[in-house]
Amino acid sequence: MVRRAFVSAVLLAAAFAPASARADFRLCNNTNTRVSVAIAYTDGKAWLSEGWWNLRPTACETLLRGPLAAQFYYVYAMDERGGEWKGKAFMCTRDREFRVDGREDCFARGYERTGFFEIDTGRDAKSWTVQLTDPNAAPAQ
């Protein structure tokens, strides 16, 4: 009888234990216009860039599912008004949906060469969320 009560208590505790948190790379569009997003990353050997995710205003989207595999990720985004979030890390892209292996010889391979900004997630991060904001918006009062 004591043994059965112990097993029941352990099973009950397991049923109410908090679920493990999801580990993903997410991006949130905290602007008032639709934003198109591309991401690039490396596994230490090869580069991959992919896009496009179209996020409506105030929406979030998971770009990569699962625990982060790298410390650095690269993002490029543009809004409907021609605004951009860009940087100096050049990757291959195209106007329509894409998934490109490698970051060299973009033009020769029929792609555009686009500047992405760097995200340093730290060495031990398992998940990360990027918040895109409108740089021209007035600060909240």
Side-chain angles (χ1 to χ4, degrees), residues 70-97:
Q71 178 177 346
F72 296 97
Y73 291 83
Y74 299 84
V75 172
Y76 172 80
M78 63 183 164
D79 67 21
E80 297 173 314
R81 297 179 300 204
E84 296 179 292
W85 293 260
K86 60 185 178 178
K88 296 179 181 178
F90 289 94
M91 309 292 172
C92 300
T93 63
R94 66 169 35 149
D95 288 341
R96 60 187 186 279
E97 185 177 330

Side-chain angles (χ1 to χ4, degrees), residues 4-141:
R4 181 181 290 168
F6 175 76
V7 171
S8 295
V10 170
L11 291 175
L12 188 61
F16 289 100
S20 60
R22 287 192 66 123
D24 298 322
F25 187 97
R26 295 174 41 85
L27 188 134
C28 294
N29 175 13
N30 295 321
T31 74
N32 58 8
T33 63
R34 190 175 66 110
V35 173
S36 296
V37 178
I39 188 169
Y41 50 94
T42 181
D43 62 6
K45 299 176 200 147
W47 284 93
L48 178 69
S49 56
E50 54 186 318
W52 297 99
W53 287 265
N54 294 305
L55 283 74
R56 67 184 190 285
T58 71
C60 295
E61 182 75 34
T62 299
L63 305 185
L64 299 171
R65 297 198 183 283
L68 300 183
Q71 178 177 346
F72 296 97
Y73 291 83
Y74 299 84
V75 172
Y76 172 80
M78 63 183 164
D79 67 21
E80 297 173 314
R81 297 179 300 204
E84 296 179 292
W85 293 260
K86 60 185 178 178
K88 296 179 181 178
F90 289 94
M91 309 292 172
C92 300
T93 63
R94 66 169 35 149
D95 288 341
R96 60 187 186 279
E97 185 177 330
F98 68 92
R99 183 177 171 96
V100 179
D101 291 318
R103 62 185 281 191
E104 61 286 324
D105 303 321
C106 298
F107 297 124
R109 297 189 297 148
Y111 299 109
E112 297 297 319
R113 186 171 176 261
T114 305
F116 285 55
F117 67 91
E118 182 178 87
I119 306 289
D120 182 348
T121 63
R123 292 180 179 232
D124 298 322
K126 300 298 180 220
S127 62
W128 197 264
T129 299
V130 175
Q131 306 282 340
L132 289 183
T133 58
D134 186 347
N136 298 321
Q141 306 239 354

